[in-house]
Amino acid sequence: MPDTLRTDLYALLAELEQTLREAGLWEATPPPPEAFLSTVPFSADRMDFNAWLQWVFLARFRALLEGDHPLPGQCDVAPMAEEALKDAPQRERIIHVIARIDALF
């Protein structure tokens, strides 16, 4: 991944975190360990979507970037965000950031 794309992704991940914090959706405590054992998309059977964004999506992308690991070939999270965040504060702003992350891929 070219350096500019890595830089853009780092910035968008930081923006997503900030937006989640401002919306009051950032959690201080992670879900229980068994929540991370889910095999369904977005861990929908074990945690809510904003928890998945924080504890799985952001965490995994950051780990991939920090470890200089290959990134996925595509990212298509915005459609799920539109559905899962129907009543969330700052919904449009969160979805906009996620859509920009999707667009990088």
Side-chain angles (χ1 to χ4, degrees), residues 2-67:
D3 287 340
T4 57
L5 290 177
R6 293 183 72 81
T7 301
D8 290 348
L9 183 55
Y10 270 117
L12 286 169
L13 295 174
E15 185 178 344
L16 180 57
E17 177 180 338
Q18 183 62 35
T19 303
L20 291 170
R21 287 180 182 277
E22 289 172 3
L25 299 176
W26 194 259
E27 301 174 9
T29 307
E34 59 270 11
F36 295 93
L37 300 176
S38 176
T39 59
V40 302
F42 309 103
S43 303
D45 61 336
R46 306 233 177 172
M47 63 179 82
D48 62 26
F49 186 73
N50 56 299
W52 179 84
L53 282 173
Q54 178 180 346
W55 300 104
V56 178
F57 184 76
L58 284 169
R60 286 188 183 166
F61 261 121
R62 286 179 171 153
L64 290 173
L65 288 169
E66 291 166 8

